[in-house]
Structures are given as structure tokens and as C-alpha cells.
Amino acid sequence: MKNLQSKFIMPPIKLAYGDKTGKVNQKHLNFYEERNKYIGAIIPEPLYMDAGLREIPTQIGIDNDDKIEGLQKLTSTIKQNGAKAIAHLNHPGRIANPKIPNNFWWSATDKACENGGAKPEKMNREMMDKVIEMFVESSKRAVKSGFDMIEIQFGHGYLLAQFISPSVNDRDDEYGGSFENRIKFPLELANAVRKAVDVPLIARISGDEIIPNGFHVADMISFSNELEKIGFDAIHVSAGSACTTPPWFFQHMFIPKGKTWEFASKIQKEISIPTIFVGQINTREDVELLENKYNAEYIAVGRSLVADENFVAKLLNKNKENYRPCLACAEGCLGGVKQGKGLGCVVNPILNTGLQKIEKASSVKKYAVVGGGLAGMQASISLTEKGHNVDLYEKEELGGQFNLAYLPPNKKSLKRIIDFYLKEISDKKINVIKEDVSAETLKDKGYDGVILATGAIPNVPTIKGLKEYYWTEFLNDEQLFENENVLIIGGGLIGLEVASKLVDANNKVYIVELLDEIANGMEMIEKALTVKKLKSKDAIIYTNHKVVEVNGKKVIIETNGKQKEINDIDKIVVSVGMKSYLPFESVEDIKVHIIGDAKKPSKAQNAIRDAYELALQL
């Protein structure tokens, strides 16, 4: 650990770029090659040790020797610019994906995961020996493959944590009950791996499971001391469990930043081997705090390197550009993997899209970009990077409707992408014109093209008696009110965000959704936490219903021809989707391009990619 070229380590992030053979391919190599400069070490995605233990169908494997050739290419790629390569070995136990054919599930218990999954077999001694052998053989294979170090997963609710956790381990043999018994099998395995290979070993742990009946930081201090005695070389401290506390496991924007750092700091003070700090480290200020307050010797930055492959270079001032910020939203990274599309990113338009990096155009042209939301700002920046002259027209505030995105509870991190764009526009001296424009006012200004990025406006359904209504006004604190009855027509993303804000102000909320499910399209962790919160605040949710009439304070809803009255409604919010806004579609003698929500209402990720892709073509 002492000879890394920098203190920054990339932790394991699932890519889902494989083809179900478990072998490394060029897409894997390209991803890590983009991120191997100035970083101390890279830990590629978790490597499965048996094809029946996959978490995703397209995971990389280290289960037999036919994987070595590809893994050697991977380690060579990682080490091209001086970084070290670390193999992450993990047995998921009861968390192995139940949807993958031929998977199997072993655990300290025969209880399934709290948030779903297959019922596992409670392990006997023979099974334990097989798992130890699996780790030992995979560790030897990792060394043959050129990995400089090995990291073993003892946390996050995976198999070894299933033994350690009192909330999971219900055994009555020598491997259950007391803390000493519960850590016995993990330590047996740690000992076996230590004896089998002569490379540095890192333990990945959860500093705390974040559940009352789980293990906590005092337990992990004791466990880390035991690992140090065995000969482990570093402790990598995260938090949570994929079974019970996924937002902590994924370090989602809905959980408080810095808690994992506190756990790591407490452990660091009680052991003599290095501690690796991790968890939502996505700004220069985070790094400075870790260095100055916690004296962090090693810092793991994962999704920040997904958002910007040069994040570490920019932190070290080897690259003077602004870093494109990770928003901790999990929308493109976790969402892309879960959807089978592979790792993507909301703010990074070239990751997993097939789009190339911007290069200078052969001739300079002049473009008008109309609309300063995410798509308009991205288009303006990319066109400027190509060498074109750009006028960006925005009559109101730059950021467009994304200025609403960070106003709901726990979503302040989303503002970072707007701040990034504003800094880029300022640094690149893009001409921002604060005025309303029309086809007529643009036609004689010498533009070679016009890009319409005018966004979308709310759909308003035709409902008998509906005259006064709101949209997102209540996301603004100055317009938020308390102790009223509010009915929200539409239970999608915006409707639920408004509802979340309203229940925090002690309003009684009713949600009426036409579909059979609310929060359709919302990122899964945000959805789960928001729905849980609304139910805890006694929000009333009607699915498969539509509003058919508003009569004063009475609202009539209907399903399958049956009607129901909801009385004493003080205010109504309409949130039934968006429609493209195009103030004009053509300009005399000038080519017009339409991007983002103006073309088709969608998510931020699509708007940014759409704008970038157009800029490549112009």
C-alpha cells in the first residue's frame, strides 16, 4: 500500500459491460484505460468466483483459468500509467441474483433477504470449506493475472457479513451467537487467503450496518484488529447492507454525506494499518476535509470517476479544466446496470453511448442556441469546444426546469450540474443573451444554424370544474404552506417530489394516479424511500383512478365506472406529464435543430446526451 503513486483509489463499481461469458472485453479495457492516469490503484468490478454466484448476468469472472488471459489484459491496461491493480473478491451468499439461471444461495442463515431474493441454504462445514477453497483458488488466480493486491468483501450484507451480522446469523453452533463466534468463519477464510498468496490484502467492510440489530462500528474496530493480526494490509470502510440499507450501500444522495468517513476515522484511530475512506467523495472540498479533519491516508473515489474520467487529474491540478460532478443520484450508473444497459451516467454523455470526444471543427460557424436548460447549456459548451461561435438565448434563469430538480427534500446535490455548466459558460465566455427571441428576430443575424432547446411545459388535462391549480410552486420554500389538504393529480416523478415537500410541512396529501403504479420511471432507491416516507406521513394514494370533476372543495375520482368523493380539498396540483414547447419550428433560410425536451420530454441524461450528439455532428 505504501508505494502507490497517489492516495486515490477507484473502488469496485459494477459495469455490466460483459457478454455473459465472464471474460474481459475491449469495452472493459476502454473504461479503465480512460481512468488509469494519476490514480494510485484501480479495483475493477467485483469478480465472481463461481458462475452460480453472479449478481448481474454480465459480470467479469475469475472462476477458472480460461479467464486469466483477459484478466491479464485488464491488469496491464490498469497499470499502463503507474496505477496498481486490485482484485475484488466477493461471495454474495443469499444476495446472488435470483433471476440468473443456475445461481445458488448459501448463507449463515436460511432466511431470505429482507428486500427480496431466494431462500438460502444454511451452510454446513463442508460448504464453508468449499467457500474457503473458492477464495483461495481465486486469490491465486488473481496473482497469476497480474493483480498487485486483493480486496476481500466482508461487508455490505454479502456472505461474510451475513455471518458477522447478529441480524442475519441465527446459528446455534460454534459460528453463531456471540461476536467471537460470528466472526470465526470470516477469520478462518481470511487466514487461509493470507497463507495462500504473498500480495497485500485489503478488507472491505461496512463500518456499521445502519440497523439497530446489526453490527456497529465498535464491532468493526474489533474485527479490523483481528484482520490486522492475521496480516491484512488495509481496511476499506463503507457502510450499510444491500439487503436492509441499500441507500447506504450505494451512497445515494438521500443519505447524509460523511457518515462513512466518521466510521473510517474511528477505526483508523484503533489500528496501525491504513484505512481507506470512501462514500460520496465528489468535490474538491470533500477531499480537503478528509485530508485536514480526518488525516485520510487513502481516499476511494468511484462514481466521481464515472462522471468525469479525469476527476483525479483535476483534483491533483494535472488537468486545469472544471470537473463534471457526480450527483450521487444513481440514475445512470445503478439504473443503467439494473436495466441491463450497462453503466452510464446522467452527466457524462460519452460513457456507454458510443459517442466520441469533441474535436475542433474544420471550419468555424455561428450558432444560436435558444433555451438555457441542460440541453441548451450542453450544446452551447460543446459547440464552443469545437471552435464555433455561439449565442445562447435564455430570457429567464440558466438551468431551465432543472432549477426545480434540486428543490425537493434530499436532492440538493443535483444543483452541482447547473453550477458546473454556469462555470463552463463563464470560463468559455459564451455569449448569453437574456431576451425572448422569435424566428423573425433570428433570421438576419448571420447564423449558420439554430438549435431549439426550449424544453417542455406541463400537460393540463381537461377536467370538469378544474380552474385553479398549481404545478411545482410548492417546491419553493417561500410558496410552501402548512396544514392544508392537497390533492395531486398524477403520481409520477414530479408529483411525488411535490408530495414529499408538502408532507414535510404537515399537509394532508392525496395522490391520484391513472396507472396501477406510482413513481413510474423514478430511480429505484429514490422511489422506495419517497413512497415509504409518504406512507409514514399518512398520504393517501389512489392508483388506477382518474379525477373526473372538481366542484369547489370536492373532488370526484373514478375507477372502473365507480366514483368516489374526496372532500375538503384546499389546493390541487396538476402533474400528469410534460409536452414539448416549440415557440417556432423554422427560421427563414437557416437550418433548425431541435434537442432535449423540446424534441421529446425525457430525463436529464437523455437531454445532455442529445445535445452533445448534435454538437458532434455540427
Side-chain angles (χ1 to χ4, degrees), residues 347-366:
V347 303
N348 186 342
I350 64 173
L351 181 64
N352 198 24
T353 61
L355 300 179
Q356 303 303 308
K357 291 186 177 181
I358 292 286
E359 294 181 355
K360 290 290 184 182
S362 56
S363 60
V364 176
K365 295 185 178 181
K366 183 180 180 183

Side-chain angles (χ1 to χ4, degrees), residues 251 257 261 279-287 301 303-304 311 315 323-328 413 416:
Q251 286 296 295
K257 178 187 282 197
W261 312 345
Q280 286 194 62
I281 302 168
N282 44 35
T283 70
R284 188 179 297 277
E285 292 74 23
D286 292 339
V287 173
V301 288
R303 286 176 170 81
S304 295
F311 181 71
L315 287 179
Y323 56 81
R324 194 172 281 260
C326 171
L327 310 182
S413 64
R416 286 202 290 266

Side-chain angles (χ1 to χ4, degrees), residues 289-522:
L289 178 65
L290 285 165
E291 291 174 337
N292 298 329
K293 180 178 179 180
Y294 295 109
N295 194 29
E297 189 173 357
Y298 294 101
I299 296 173
V301 288
R303 286 176 170 81
S304 295
L305 280 163
V306 174
D308 189 330
E309 63 273 17
N310 292 310
F311 181 71
V312 168
K314 292 172 182 179
L315 287 179
L316 296 172
N317 296 314
K318 304 294 185 180
N319 182 319
K320 300 298 184 182
E321 296 175 357
N322 301 313
Y323 56 81
R324 194 172 281 260
C326 171
L327 310 182
C329 63
E331 180 76 47
C333 47
L334 175 61
V337 170
K338 289 288 185 182
Q339 293 164 24
K341 299 176 182 177
L343 183 83
C345 181
V346 168
V347 303
N348 186 342
I350 64 173
L351 181 64
N352 198 24
T353 61
L355 300 179
Q356 303 303 308
K357 291 186 177 181
I358 292 286
E359 294 181 355
K360 290 290 184 182
S362 56
S363 60
V364 176
K365 295 185 178 181
K366 183 180 180 183
Y367 290 100
V369 178
V370 182
L374 297 185
M377 290 191 290
Q378 179 65 62
S380 300
I381 291 163
S382 294
L383 287 168
T384 301
E385 288 174 341
K386 290 192 74 173
H388 297 309
N389 297 316
V390 176
D391 289 334
L392 173 57
Y393 291 88
E394 175 52 66
K395 63 179 179 179
E396 296 177 1
E397 187 178 1
L398 287 174
Q401 289 180 3
F402 208 73
N403 286 311
L404 300 170
Y406 60 84
L407 297 179
N410 306 308
K411 300 189 78 170
K412 289 181 181 178
S413 64
L414 298 186
K415 186 176 184 294
R416 286 202 290 266
I417 187 60
I418 296 178
D419 295 339
F420 165 76
Y421 280 136
L422 294 178
K423 184 76 165 58
E424 286 281 282
I425 287 168
S426 173
D427 289 353
K428 289 177 168 51
K429 297 180 171 55
I430 295 172
N431 187 30
V432 179
I433 301 172
K434 294 201 72 172
E435 63 181 54
D436 203 358
V437 293
S438 64
E440 189 67 24
T441 58
L442 289 173
K443 70 177 184 179
D444 296 321
K445 293 184 181 289
Y447 292 118
D448 295 290
V450 172
I451 294 95
L452 290 180
T454 45
I457 56 176
N459 260 323
V460 181
T462 302
I463 296 173
K464 182 180 178 181
L466 178 63
K467 297 175 182 176
E468 294 184 12
Y469 54 87
Y470 300 84
W471 179 47
T472 58
E473 290 86 343
F474 306 137
L475 293 177
N476 292 291
D477 290 335
E478 60 269 20
Q479 298 192 51
L480 188 62
F481 50 83
E482 299 180 358
N483 304 312
E484 296 208 55
N485 296 327
V486 187
L487 185 137
I488 300 175
I489 303 174
L493 171 66
I494 295 174
L496 260 68
E497 289 181 337
V498 174
S500 179
K501 189 91 171 185
L502 286 167
V503 295
D504 282 347
N506 297 316
N507 294 289
K508 179 68 175 179
V509 171
Y510 300 80
I511 299 172
V512 182
E513 169 57 50
L514 187 61
L515 301 177
D516 59 4
E517 180 185 10
I518 60 169
N520 193 32
M522 183 181 270

Side-chain angles (χ1 to χ4, degrees), residues 88-103:
H88 179 89
L89 304 182
N90 173 34
H91 192 305
R94 63 179 187 161
I95 304 180
N97 193 328
K99 296 180 181 178
I100 297 178
N102 302 316
N103 263 5

Side-chain angles (χ1 to χ4, degrees), residues 141-365:
R141 205 169 283 122
V143 175
K144 290 179 184 176
S145 300
F147 285 99
D148 303 289
M149 292 174 253
I150 295 168
E151 177 175 86
I152 295 178
Q153 174 65 274
F154 291 93
H156 285 165
Y158 291 112
L159 177 64
L160 301 179
Q162 289 159 28
F163 272 86
I164 299 169
S165 176
S167 73
V168 180
N169 187 334
D170 55 2
R171 306 174 73 91
D172 56 9
D173 61 6
E174 62 182 301
Y175 296 99
S178 69
F179 174 73
E180 290 72 22
N181 282 1
R182 286 184 279 111
I183 65 172
K184 189 174 181 180
F185 171 60
L187 292 180
E188 287 177 0
L189 188 149
N191 253 311
V193 173
R194 179 66 289 169
K195 291 174 182 176
V197 294
D198 188 24
V199 295
L201 297 181
I202 301 168
R204 184 81 184 264
I205 68 169
S206 292
D208 196 300
E209 284 195 292
I210 322 290
I211 51 174
N213 60 342
F215 57 72
H216 304 295
V217 69
D219 302 314
M220 288 298 99
I221 290 171
S222 299
F223 183 62
S224 298
N225 273 301
E226 294 301 317
L227 291 171
E228 182 178 353
K229 292 174 188 174
I230 288 171
F232 271 65
D233 298 271
I235 308 293
H236 188 174
V237 184
S238 186
S241 162
C243 272
T244 51
T245 49
W248 288 89
F249 170 38
F250 292 111
Q251 286 296 295
H252 190 268
M253 63 183 171
F254 272 45
I255 64 111
K257 178 187 282 197
K259 199 69 178 173
T260 56
W261 312 345
E262 293 175 15
F263 298 146
S265 177
K266 289 177 180 177
I267 292 169
Q268 179 177 248
K269 292 172 182 175
E270 302 296 332
I271 60 176
S272 57
I273 56 177
T275 301
I276 303 170
F277 288 71
V278 73
Q280 286 194 62
I281 302 168
N282 44 35
T283 70
R284 188 179 297 277
E285 292 74 23
D286 292 339
V287 173
E288 291 171 352
L289 178 65
L290 285 165
E291 291 174 337
N292 298 329
K293 180 178 179 180
Y294 295 109
N295 194 29
E297 189 173 357
Y298 294 101
I299 296 173
V301 288
R303 286 176 170 81
S304 295
L305 280 163
V306 174
D308 189 330
E309 63 273 17
N310 292 310
F311 181 71
V312 168
K314 292 172 182 179
L315 287 179
L316 296 172
N317 296 314
K318 304 294 185 180
N319 182 319
K320 300 298 184 182
E321 296 175 357
N322 301 313
Y323 56 81
R324 194 172 281 260
C326 171
L327 310 182
C329 63
E331 180 76 47
C333 47
L334 175 61
V337 170
K338 289 288 185 182
Q339 293 164 24
K341 299 176 182 177
L343 183 83
C345 181
V346 168
V347 303
N348 186 342
I350 64 173
L351 181 64
N352 198 24
T353 61
L355 300 179
Q356 303 303 308
K357 291 186 177 181
I358 292 286
E359 294 181 355
K360 290 290 184 182
S362 56
S363 60
V364 176
K365 295 185 178 181

Side-chain angles (χ1 to χ4, degrees), residues 535-546:
K535 290 180 177 178
S536 73
K537 299 273 190 173
D538 297 323
I540 297 177
I541 300 169
Y542 296 96
T543 54
N544 294 309
H545 280 75
K546 65 178 179 179

Side-chain angles (χ1 to χ4, degrees), residues 578-597:
M578 308 291 288
K579 60 182 179 181
S580 295
Y581 173 61
L582 288 170
F584 55 90
E585 297 185 46
S586 62
V587 178
E588 186 178 321
D589 297 327
I590 303 177
K591 176 73 172 176
V592 173
H593 309 270
I594 303 172
I595 60 173
D597 284 358

